[in-house]
């Protein structure tokens, strides 16, 4: 099933799937123009970083940065010990992720490093930025 959608621009959306793929869809035609694979678990969340990149969070405990135009995975970020269930963009250089491991992590897009971990009492299912 489809886990989430993100609007890329006026012509395209991206969908995240429980089977582990991300698809880019042309809104006007309904045609899938690209399929991106690389996660070993379902993709639970997506966030648009800029016109050319999206980030995905997965049940495989990782976050991947993708080039929308080529479908190439540019970076994989690991550090969560359970499913990544939510993701958000803080600014041009940082994203934030929430996980079932009861943590929120802030990541550098430049280096791919986790810059801060906030421990919570409960699983983090959603973030609002």
């Amino acid at each position: 099933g489809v886990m989430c959608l993100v609007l890329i621009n006026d012509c395209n959306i991206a969908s995240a799937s429980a089977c582990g793929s991300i698809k880019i869809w042309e809104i006007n035609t309904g045609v899938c123009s690209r399929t991106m694979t690389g996660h070993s678990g379902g993709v639970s969340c997506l966030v648009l970083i800029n016109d050319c990149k999206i980030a995905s969070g997965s049940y495989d405990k990782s976050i991947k940065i993708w080039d929308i135009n080529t479908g190439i995975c540019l970076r994989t970020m690991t550090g969560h010990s359970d499913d990544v269930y939510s993701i958000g963009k803080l600014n041009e250089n940082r994203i934030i992720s929430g996980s079932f491991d009861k943590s929120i992590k802030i990541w550098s897009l430049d280096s791919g490093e986790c810059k801060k971990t906030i421990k919570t009492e409960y699983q983090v299912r959603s973030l609002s930025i």
Side-chain angles (χ1 to χ4, degrees):
V2 174
M3 304 299 286
C4 74
L5 299 169
V6 66
L7 181 66
I8 296 172
N9 53 41
D10 290 342
C11 301
N12 298 285
I13 58 172
S15 65
S17 173
C19 73
S21 68
I22 299 158
K23 293 185 180 283
I24 308 298
W25 300 90
E26 295 176 10
I27 294 171
N28 290 334
T29 64
V31 171
C32 175
S33 60
R34 177 164 288 107
T35 300
M36 298 178 283
T37 59
H39 281 292
S40 62
V43 179
S44 56
C45 51
L46 295 170
V47 67
L48 184 66
I49 295 172
N50 58 38
D51 293 343
C52 302
K53 296 178 189 172
I54 57 173
S56 60
S58 172
Y59 296 155
D60 67 8
K61 307 172 192 171
S62 76
I63 297 162
K64 291 187 180 286
I65 308 300
W66 303 88
D67 183 305
I68 296 168
N69 297 316
T70 65
I72 294 171
C73 177
L74 303 171
R75 171 169 281 141
T76 300
M77 299 182 290
T78 59
H80 282 293
S81 61
D82 206 336
D83 301 348
V84 177
Y85 214 75
S86 54
I87 196 167
K89 178 181 168 182
L90 290 177
N91 57 42
E92 294 305 311
N93 298 316
R94 301 215 178 201
I95 59 172
I96 188 169
S97 61
S99 171
F100 276 21
D101 67 5
K102 301 179 183 176
S103 75
I104 297 166
K105 292 186 179 284
I106 298 172
W107 304 86
S108 166
L109 290 172
D110 294 330
S111 68
E113 295 178 77
C114 177
K115 294 298 186 179
K116 184 166 189 147
T117 299
I118 302 165
K119 289 296 196 177
T120 66
E121 199 172 330
Y122 303 102
Q123 296 172 336
V124 182
R125 294 178 182 259
S126 68
L127 297 167
S128 178
I129 308 296

